[in-house]
């Protein structure tokens, strides 16, 4: 928070303005469906744009930069907080805390985590999906799938290119658990 404090209240930059104008505020006659149907440029991080659409209405169309960016900042903060919680089993508690601290001070993470865009949401969902992979690989299929499957479904809704990550995770499940049919049976049993 100390690192991004000045950035959070800085003027919106070009891509954030496009997200705000084209998707969050959007054409007044089109409603939220416009967010899901319009992909003229890669600036539409679709699921984030839908959250932003409701967020600007919740805040009364406030254009205060720090308020607009609050959902992204919360996703970034959740990523840092959840990282040591989800990864302490594999990294040891101290190492997991050190990794979370590294994220918190990383110029790449902090430069994107505050933006009025879908990057922080993508990072949070990716953390959940990766924790799911670790759980599956440790033999905790049901717990792993509860983390991984929602993230795999939501990631492409944030940015369509995230389908590659979702595909790689689905491939991991199939390869890790044996043949595709066997994996589907095990997934079905894990949910029962």
């Amino acid at each position: 928070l100390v690192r991004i404090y000045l950035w959070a209240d800085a003027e919106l930059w070009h891509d954030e303005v496009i997200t705000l104008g084209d998707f969050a505020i959007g054409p007044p006659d089109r409603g939220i469906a416009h967010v899901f149907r319009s992909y003229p440029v890669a600036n539409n991080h679709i699921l984030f744009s839908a959250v932003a659409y409701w967020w600007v209405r919740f805040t009364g169309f406030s254009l205060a930069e720090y308020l607009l960016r609050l959902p992204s900042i919360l996703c970034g903060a959740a990523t840092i907080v959840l990282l040591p919680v989800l990864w302490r089993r594999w990294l040891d508690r101290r190492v997991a805390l050190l990794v979370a601290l590294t994220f918190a001070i990383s110029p790449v993470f902090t430069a994107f985590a505050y933006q009025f865009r879908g990057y922080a949401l993508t990072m949070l969902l990716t953390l959940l999906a990766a924790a799911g992979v670790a759980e599956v690989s440790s033999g905790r299929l049901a717990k792993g799938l509860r983390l991984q499957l929602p993230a795999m479904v939501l990631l492409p809704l944030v940015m369509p290119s995230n389908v590659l990550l979702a595909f790689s995770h689905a491939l991991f499940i199939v390869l890790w658990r044996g043949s595709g049919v066997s994996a589907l049976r095990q997934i079905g049993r894990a949910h029962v």
Side-chain angles (χ1 to χ4, degrees), residues 50-71:
V51 169
Y53 179 91
W54 291 110
W55 180 248
V56 298
R57 282 152 182 79
F58 176 76
T59 62
F61 290 90
S62 170
L63 296 181
E65 285 86 352
Y66 70 92
L67 192 56
L68 285 172
R69 291 176 174 139
L70 189 58

Side-chain angles (χ1 to χ4, degrees), residues 22-142:
D22 289 356
F23 307 110
I25 294 174
D29 59 331
R30 292 194 183 168
I32 194 166
H34 171 71
V35 169
F36 294 98
R37 289 193 309 241
S38 176
Y39 199 74
V41 291
N43 284 60
N44 187 5
H45 294 172
I46 302 163
L47 186 58
F48 177 80
S49 294
V51 169
Y53 179 91
W54 291 110
W55 180 248
V56 298
R57 282 152 182 79
F58 176 76
T59 62
F61 290 90
S62 170
L63 296 181
E65 285 86 352
Y66 70 92
L67 192 56
L68 285 172
R69 291 176 174 139
L70 189 58
S72 294
I73 292 169
L74 292 175
C75 284
T79 302
I80 293 168
V81 169
L82 286 174
L83 201 151
V85 171
L86 295 172
W87 285 94
R88 67 177 167 233
R89 177 177 306 160
W90 298 279
L91 297 179
D92 181 65
R93 187 177 70 81
R94 290 176 294 186
V95 175
L97 287 170
L98 182 61
V99 170
L101 177 63
T102 303
F103 263 67
I105 63 172
S106 163
V108 174
F109 180 82
T110 55
F112 287 94
Y114 78 95
Q115 292 182 20
F116 187 68
R117 312 265 289 121
Y119 299 119
L121 180 56
T122 291
M123 290 184 271
L124 176 60
L125 292 171
T126 301
L127 170 69
L128 296 175
V133 166
E135 292 288 351
V136 168
S137 66
S138 297
R140 290 178 286 280
L141 183 65

Side-chain angles (χ1 to χ4, degrees), residues 47 121-122 124-133 136 141-158 162 165-166 169 173 187 191:
L47 186 58
L121 180 56
T122 291
L124 176 60
L125 292 171
T126 301
L127 170 69
L128 296 175
V133 166
V136 168
L141 183 65
K143 183 177 183 180
L145 292 177
R146 281 193 302 272
L147 289 167
Q148 193 177 27
L149 290 178
M152 285 172 33
V153 168
L154 294 175
L155 275 164
L157 292 176
V158 180
N162 284 341
L165 181 64
H169 280 240
I173 291 171
I187 290 169
H191 286 302

